[in-house]
Amino acid sequence: MNIGSFIWCAAIFTVCASRGVADDSAKLAPLFAAVAEHGGTITIPPGDYALDGTQPIPLASHTTVFAYGARFHLPDVLGDKARAVLFRGENVSDFRWFGGHFAGHVFDPAREENSWEPNVNTRAILISTTGNGETKNLTFRDVTSDGLAGAAISVAGAEKHGSDREIESYARNVTVENCTLERSGKFMWDYGLLWQITIWPEDYSPRERALAAKYFRNDLICPGVSMADGDSRVRFANRDHPVGISRGDDPQYAVCFFGDALPRNVVRGRQYFVVASDAEGIQIAEQPSGSPMRFEGAGGEVKLIHNLSAAYGALYSPTGAGPGKGAMDLVGCEKVIVRGCRLSALGDTMHIQKSRGVVFADNHITGSRMGAFFLAEFCQNATITGNTIDGTNGSRVMSVEKSCEDVTITGNTFRNGGRGSWINQPRNFVMTGNVFINNTTKNEHDPHRGRRSFVTGDYEQKPELYFTLHERDGHYGPVIVRDNIFVTGPECGSPAVTFAPGGQQLLFKDNVFRSHDAAIQVDPSCVDVEIRDNPGASLKIAPVDFNHGRR
């Protein structure tokens, strides 16, 4: 077919699909180039296409892509920090993509062998926006994926330079419907996994120990540590990259110990704080600026880990990981509809951030290694309804992060999450008519399902639902939580529900708690609080740490 004879407004292109070649971009790129100036319709015929993603195929405005039956395969082997984007556009309007399957080999610790490294990042369709540009009227329907190490669908508005929350130019009118994106999204280890394997290696197989030895932040380990009976000195070579005195209780200033034998009053994996430091070692206390500990018994073959923020929290993501989160990643979007999709990931399953006018309805999240439902920072006017969210022992089954406003969550089922539901300093938040079933599985005393905390060295004790602050002196509310059912698991922390300081106009009533007696703990600084008529639960007024869900 002669490209010059095409009528641009209804151009339809076909190519012969093939497999077994290094890259088929040269077959697809001319089809997209032909509609670059005036738009048109592209039909990619069924078949297999190998794409390495080193040079993304450009996407243009006023284009409709039909890819039903087309299967796009990323390379079988991708090494350290490999990056790939298959299709990419900037400032795109009136664009529709229907069908197509994207296949990759995302890292999976459960597999005996992996051909992609954990920090590989592969995205299928990426549309971004410049500060003075415009992105609008995007539809993605019937797209499927399996094994991508990044989002199958990424859309981003232009974030305002120098601001952590403002959007300079929103991507408007974004619709994602009837997509099945499985095992897709950036790989994540989970909080504390590599740390836990390193400190309690006897609980894990040789293969798991080898993964931790390879991918943990070994630069944070100080070997050759000695701790003598009756002494207060932790002795080791503290010269080249010295461990300094703790400047507060943030985990970046904390240390922990592990090894063959520790003094009787030192808990393996528990955080301690440095109160004295020199080239020959340190002294530690249970609190910053506390009295130095004097050891009861000696330590043998002891090692120290410093900067627990980096060793535990930040290492949820592989060192050198690429951008984006989730099988679907929408940042800085306005008037968003996500409906009728099936999603799972070996990291965060989906990610909507700094967006407004969001409807997330009738979707099924079937599995998550990290966060399942993730309404991230500074979203506004969001309705979450009719979804089934299965956390499959991942991290939080639901996160509504950092000052989201005007959020309604109704008629959903949340089950099998790892760290409960985290609501972070919301404004105008309503949660009604939902079912929550055993979302604290990370509290289980099982090394493969549970997670130990560096605060105590023991297993976590997360609540089923917790309201927190990201600003120490922040405020949140109004909050309405009513007519929900909570079926808490046997390891659910006590209290089962917490409200951090700074809450205003908090209504929590007519909720039903099953399985065991639950406590609803409210910080005494909260005002205009009505908590009553919650069968199976009792109210407790007691201090709550402002950021308790993060540690």
Side-chain angles (χ1 to χ4, degrees):
M1 188 175 292
N2 188 337
I3 290 179
S5 67
F6 278 42
I7 299 175
W8 290 104
C9 64
I12 298 178
F13 301 99
T14 62
V15 295
C16 296
S18 65
R19 192 125 189 247
V21 298
D23 185 72
D24 289 318
S25 296
K27 295 180 179 179
L28 296 175
L31 313 182
F32 289 83
V35 301
E37 186 174 354
H38 300 289
T41 299
I42 299 170
T43 298
I44 302 173
D48 294 289
Y49 301 86
L51 300 175
D52 63 23
T54 56
Q55 293 294 326
I57 295 171
L59 302 176
S61 295
H62 313 297
T63 300
T64 298
V65 179
F66 290 102
Y68 291 105
R71 297 174 294 275
F72 306 100
H73 300 271
L74 283 142
D76 290 337
V77 178
L78 287 175
D80 185 53
K81 298 180 183 178
R83 303 288 184 261
V85 177
L86 302 187
F87 298 90
R88 182 168 192 164
E90 185 176 80
N91 300 328
V92 175
S93 297
D94 304 315
F95 178 87
R96 296 160 185 82
W97 184 296
F98 300 103
H101 180 75
F102 297 91
H105 307 280
V106 64
F107 185 89
D108 184 350
R111 283 201 301 255
E112 290 291 332
E113 301 289 340
N114 282 280
S115 59
W116 285 13
E117 283 292 306
N119 58 17
V120 165
N121 189 266
T122 60
R123 293 181 285 178
I125 303 170
L126 170 61
I127 295 177
S128 59
T129 310
T130 61
N132 59 356
E134 184 178 52
T135 295
K136 64 179 182 179
N137 303 336
L138 309 179
T139 297
F140 305 91
R141 186 174 296 138
D142 301 334
V143 178
T144 65
S145 67
D146 184 76
L148 295 185
I153 299 166
S154 301
V155 179
E159 300 182 59
K160 187 174 182 179
H161 182 70
S163 173
D164 65 350
R165 66 185 69 192
E166 294 179 272
I167 299 297
E168 188 170 350
S169 180
Y170 282 92
R172 294 184 285 120
N173 305 332
V174 180
T175 300
V176 182
E177 291 183 319
N178 198 39
C179 293
T180 299
L181 313 178
E182 298 179 308
R183 301 174 66 255
S184 294
K186 182 169 69 177
F187 170 75
M188 298 175 179
W189 292 108
D190 185 38
Y191 299 117
L193 173 63
L194 298 180
W195 170 88
Q196 183 166 304
I197 298 172
T198 300
I199 292 179
W200 288 273
E202 67 275 15
D203 291 338
Y204 297 92
S205 69
R207 182 178 63 83
E208 291 167 322
R209 294 197 295 267
L211 284 177
K214 182 176 181 180
Y215 294 113
F216 184 67
R217 285 282 306 275
N218 293 302
D219 59 307
L220 302 176
I221 298 177
C222 298
V225 174
S226 65
M227 308 164 85
D229 184 29
D231 195 2
S232 66
R233 299 279 299 175
V234 179
R235 301 181 187 276
F236 64 99
N238 192 28
R239 298 181 183 86
D240 294 339
H241 301 285
V243 178
I245 294 174
S246 301
R247 291 186 284 167
D249 65 355
D250 190 279
Q252 67 178 305
Y253 305 125
V255 301
C256 70
F257 300 91
F258 66 105
D260 290 346
L262 295 174
R264 291 186 300 276
N265 59 336
V266 175
V267 177
R268 180 162 44 155
R270 183 201 190 280
Q271 69 177 7
Y272 296 94
F273 296 92
V274 181
V275 294
S277 174
D278 60 28
E280 305 305 319
I282 60 175
Q283 289 180 298
I284 61 170
E286 293 187 349
Q287 301 295 332
S289 304
S291 299
M293 293 178 60
R294 194 166 295 277
F295 303 123
E296 300 174 4
E301 298 295 325
V302 176
K303 296 179 182 179
L304 173 155
I305 297 176
H306 64 95
N307 190 354
L308 298 186
S309 177
Y312 189 102
L315 206 53
Y316 77 89
S317 184
T319 301
K325 293 181 178 181
M328 172 194 67
D329 191 16
L330 308 178
V331 179
C333 297
E334 181 180 60
K335 298 180 181 177
V336 175
I337 296 174
V338 180
R339 179 180 287 122
C341 295
R342 184 177 294 112
L343 310 169
S344 67
L346 279 87
D348 289 333
T349 299
M350 47 75 59
H351 186 237
I352 300 175
Q353 182 180 20
K354 300 179 185 178
S355 297
R356 62 192 189 190
V358 176
V359 175
F360 189 86
D362 304 324
N363 302 290
H364 191 184
I365 291 178
T366 60
S368 180
R369 186 174 177 84
M370 281 285 291
F373 174 77
F374 197 4
L375 188 69
E377 305 167 351
F378 310 115
C379 288
Q380 302 172 34
N381 188 17
T383 299
I384 317 303
T385 185
N387 305 286
T388 299
I389 315 294
D390 195 326
T392 59
N393 188 229
S395 190
R396 299 175 183 93
V397 74
M398 171 170 55
S399 297
V400 180
E401 233 192 34
K402 275 194 177 181
S403 297
C404 290
E405 299 182 15
D406 308 327
V407 177
T408 300
I409 299 173
T410 184
N412 307 279
T413 298
F414 299 91
R415 63 191 183 202
N416 300 325
R419 295 184 174 94
S421 294
W422 176 41
I423 317 300
N424 188 222
Q425 203 169 315
R427 180 178 297 174
N428 302 335
F429 179 85
V430 177
M431 189 165 72
T432 63
N434 303 281
V435 177
F436 296 85
I437 304 173
N438 189 17
N439 290 302
T440 56
T441 59
K442 280 289 190 286
N443 295 351
E444 295 177 18
H445 289 210
D446 179 314
H448 290 93
R449 288 178 56 80
R451 185 72 67 246
R452 291 180 182 266
S453 165
F454 63 80
V455 176
T456 63
D458 203 350
Y459 284 92
E460 293 181 352
Q461 286 293 299
K462 287 289 191 294
E464 179 74 27
L465 172 65
Y466 41 106
F467 290 81
T468 70
L469 300 172
H470 62 90
E471 300 167 314
R472 184 177 289 272
D473 298 319
H475 297 278
Y476 63 99
V479 169
I480 296 174
V481 180
R482 64 185 304 171
D483 299 327
N484 301 284
I485 297 174
F486 294 92
V487 184
T488 56
E491 291 86 9
C492 181
S494 182
V497 178
T498 58
F499 288 90
Q504 301 172 342
Q505 294 181 291
L506 308 180
L507 174 65
F508 192 99
K509 67 185 295 283
D510 298 326
N511 303 284
V512 175
F513 287 79
R514 300 183 59 191
S515 300
H516 75 284
D517 292 336
I520 303 165
Q521 185 165 328
V522 181
D523 189 89
S525 70
C526 296
V527 297
D528 196 4
V529 177
E530 183 179 355
I531 296 181
R532 61 181 176 85
D533 301 327
N534 299 291
S538 59
L539 173 62
K540 179 180 180 181
I541 304 297
V544 177
D545 181 67
F546 84 101
N547 197 21
H548 59 282
R550 297 290 286 169
R551 301 187 182 184

